[in-house]
């Protein structure tokens, strides 16, 4: 009986991403702000990747991790922002079912990879601060390579769990109340049974986020414990400076992620939810390079050198 009803209805092949609602008056302003954010994100992150790849001084595990993180973050915002910018220009807010699915898959995979990578980075800081004498033997380039490739592979493999979503039927309405195709808003529109997918996705989400989160937390508990035991305040400051930027990044990322997925889904909180989604999808990738380049002496020096070179080149031409 139910099946017949499904067959009689027209299937949705396209969704409308409602974005931030009907604010056509602010379109140009919003376009400029998002464009600015996107450009800053790309420039900052590509600059860090370029530094890590080209500068001999940055050929250490800590910077390999940072380079990979920056590479990841530029992909991360590219899954969301260019489409958003295009829809501001054309006024066309529709996205195909496949497009929607691809966006969700890549976004989810990159977010999972970020969780793994952040925990690998905090483990690296744990070794450097709590086991300084053994650091070089415990974290060789090869170990770093394993951790990095492991993060990328598990992130993308874990999200293949989303493939059954392709078989769901959508029979309308087709409006997604979000600015990108996220799992929950999309699933709400399905008219076939989503029970199994929800349970499966919940399990995978736990496996993907909980262990890295706990690993990151415990690394920092050990790190802070060790730092507090350092007798001189100069030594304490120095040890803390090597991990403080990472701690800030981790806090912003997990903090907004938790708020988005743990808050109850009520109409009133929906807009707040969008705001926090914007925090970890749009803002984190933009501020990471800033945090690292402003707080890290070596990165600061390298950037200054590049700046000097550019000025010199202009002078000569
Ligand atoms: C990512 O990590 C690998 C393995 O350590 C390293 O060889 C590579 O240079 C890193 N990539 C970037 C862009 O930093």
């Amino acid at each position: 009986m139910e099946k017949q009803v499904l067959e009689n209805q027209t299937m949705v092949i396209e969704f409308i991403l409602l974005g931030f609602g009907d604010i056509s008056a602010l379109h140009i302003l919003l376009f400029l702000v998002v464009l600015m954010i996107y450009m800053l994100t790309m420039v900052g992150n590509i600059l860090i990747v370029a530094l890590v790849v080209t500068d001999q001084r940055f050929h250490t595990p800590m910077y390999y991790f940072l380079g990979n993180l920056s590479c990841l973050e530029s992909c991360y915002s590219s899954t969301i922002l260019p489409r958003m910018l295009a829809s501001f220009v054309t006024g066309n807010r529709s996205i195909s079912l496949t497009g929607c699915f691809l966006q969700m898959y890549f976004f989810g995979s990159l977010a999972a990879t970020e969780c793994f990578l952040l925990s690998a980075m905090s483990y690296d800081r744990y070794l450097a601060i709590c086991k300084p004498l053994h650091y070089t033997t415990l974290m060789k380039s090869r170990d770093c390579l394993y951790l990095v490739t492991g993060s990328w592979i598990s992130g993308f493999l874990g999200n293949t769990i989303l493939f059954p979503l392709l078989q769901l039927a959508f029979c309308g309405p087709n409006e997604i109340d979000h600015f990108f195709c996220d799992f929950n808003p999309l699933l709400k529109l399905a008219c076939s049974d989503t029970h199994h997918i929800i349970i499966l996705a919940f399990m995978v989400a736990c496996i993907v986020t909980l262990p890295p989160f706990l690993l990151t937390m415990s690394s920092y508990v050990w790190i802070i414990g060790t730092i507090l035991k350092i007798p001189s305040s100069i030594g304490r400051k120095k040890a803390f400076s090597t991990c403080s930027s990472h701690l800030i990044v981790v806090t912003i990322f997990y903090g907004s992620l938790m708020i988005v997925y743990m808050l109850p889904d009520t109409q009133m909180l929906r807009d707040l939810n969008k705001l926090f989604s914007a925090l970890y999808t749009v803002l984190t990738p933009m501020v990471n390079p800033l945090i690292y380049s402003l707080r890290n002496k070596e990165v600061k020096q390298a950037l200054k050198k590049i700046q000097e070179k550019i000025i010199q080149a202009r002078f000569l031409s």
Side-chain angles (χ1 to χ4, degrees), residues 171-187:
C171 24
N174 68 342
E175 289 183 337
I176 300 179
D177 188 15
H178 209 27
F179 58 92
F180 68 102
C181 283
D182 203 2
F183 183 74
N184 289 325
L186 182 67
L187 220 61

Side-chain angles (χ1 to χ4, degrees), residues 49 52-53 63-68 71 141 144-146 148 152:
V49 171
V52 172
V53 172
Y63 289 108
Y64 284 147
F65 286 128
L66 181 59
N68 277 273
C71 179
S141 287
C144 171
L145 182 66
Y146 287 156
V148 167
W152 285 97

Side-chain angles (χ1 to χ4, degrees), residues 204-228:
V204 173
C206 286
I207 296 171
V208 162
T209 52
L210 272 186
F213 177 69
L214 292 178
L215 186 67
T216 308
M217 289 301 279
S218 41
S219 297
Y220 273 104
V221 170
W222 285 111
I223 288 173
I224 289 170
T226 309
I227 288 178
L228 288 180

Side-chain angles (χ1 to χ4, degrees), residues 6 9 11 168-172 187-194:
L6 281 185
Q9 268 164 329
M11 288 294 161
L168 289 182
F170 295 91
C171 24
L187 220 61
K188 253 190 234 131
L189 300 179
C191 49
S192 38
D193 184 21
T194 54

Side-chain angles (χ1 to χ4, degrees), residues 68-81:
N68 277 273
L69 187 71
S70 281
C71 179
L72 180 130
E73 307 242 272
S74 44
C75 301
Y76 194 68
S77 46
S78 298
T79 58
I80 294 176
L81 294 188

